[in-house]
Amino acid sequence: MNWDEILPLLGPATLETAQMVGWSTLFTALLGLPLGVALVVFDRNGLRPAPALKSALGFVVNIGRSLPFIVLMIAIIPFTRLVVGTTIGTAAFVVPLTVGAVPFFARLVETALREVGPDVVQAAQAMGASRATIVRKVLLPEALPGLVAGLTVTVVALIGYSAMAGTLGGGGLGDLAVRYGYQRFETLLMIVTVVLLLVIVQLLQSLGDWVARRLSHK
């Protein structure tokens, strides 16, 4: 296989990977951020202590983080079919990607929020700020650099997950590497796919680090 044959395959596969990772990142942020906030707010020393609820949420998050992604993809096939109507294709694998990434991102959110100094929260409480106001205008803004760094790590993990999704019919660069690089022994295509994934990860990680540094200097 030469470059003239490889390049037309890389474009659609890269687009499929971008779609999977992009939609999964969006849903992960929308679901993982409030979950991470809840883990902090409902903590024993949180803004609204509810140890039983915190333990239940923590238990669910730990289960989600403990499952290997390829096992998770297979385990939630019925749920994926219920949500999307199919279990193959780019759209279908957004579901397991999101389910796998939400617990991971929620823990990173929790860690970032816990790094906010308690004196900042106490000052807001002393001024009569409500719990919702403290979360929106104190905790989240103060933890923003850590949240951006956590989201960057999550996106990089999702790229790796999306490559695994290709082995089960998810499409993308992982599917291309398996079907051509592995099954047809097209070594050049395999190398190009790996290098492309490395470049994408390095660019996204560098961008995330830059944004986090800019925010931390404000």
Side-chain angles (χ1 to χ4, degrees):
M1 182 173 282
N2 55 42
W3 284 104
D4 292 335
E5 296 172 310
I6 291 175
L7 291 178
L9 296 173
L10 284 177
T14 303
L15 180 60
E16 289 175 351
T17 294
Q19 289 173 337
M20 277 193 288
V21 173
W23 284 109
S24 301
T25 299
L26 174 62
F27 293 133
T28 296
L30 292 176
L31 298 173
L33 181 61
L35 180 56
V37 170
L39 289 170
V40 173
V41 170
F42 295 137
D43 191 30
R44 190 178 302 276
N45 298 318
L47 294 174
R48 187 173 182 179
L53 181 56
K54 161 66 189 308
S55 298
L57 291 175
F59 180 72
V60 172
V61 167
N62 289 338
I63 289 177
R65 293 179 62 207
S66 64
L67 288 175
F69 181 67
I70 195 163
V71 174
L72 177 66
M73 284 193 295
I74 298 170
I76 67 169
I77 282 176
F79 178 69
T80 301
R81 184 181 291 111
L82 177 66
V83 173
V84 185
T86 181
T87 58
I88 60 174
T90 302
F93 278 85
V94 170
V95 176
L97 284 170
T98 302
V99 172
V102 164
F104 179 75
F105 181 57
R107 283 300 186 191
L108 294 177
V109 171
E110 180 188 13
T111 300
L113 294 176
R114 290 191 186 283
E115 291 178 356
V116 177
D119 54 330
V120 178
V121 176
Q122 290 169 1
Q125 289 174 324
M127 290 187 291
S130 65
R131 287 189 288 261
T133 300
I134 292 173
V135 170
R136 286 186 294 106
K137 296 188 176 182
V138 178
L139 283 178
L140 292 178
E142 289 291 325
L144 195 55
L147 294 176
V148 171
L151 185 62
T152 303
V153 172
T154 303
V155 172
V156 170
L158 281 169
I159 293 174
Y161 290 167
S162 71
M164 284 187 276
T167 65
L168 294 179
L173 292 170
D175 175 58
L176 186 66
V178 170
R179 285 194 296 117
Y180 289 89
Y182 177 70
Q183 295 177 352
R184 303 185 187 183
F185 302 102
E186 296 290 350
T187 305
L188 178 59
L189 188 143
M190 176 69 83
I191 293 173
V192 171
T193 302
V194 171
V195 171
L196 181 57
L197 285 169
L198 289 174
V199 170
I200 292 172
V201 167
Q202 289 297 325
L203 289 175
L204 288 173
Q205 186 66 60
S206 298
L207 176 62
D209 291 344
W210 178 80
V211 173
R213 285 197 301 270
R214 293 279 294 183
L215 291 172
S216 64
H217 291 159
K218 288 185 177 181

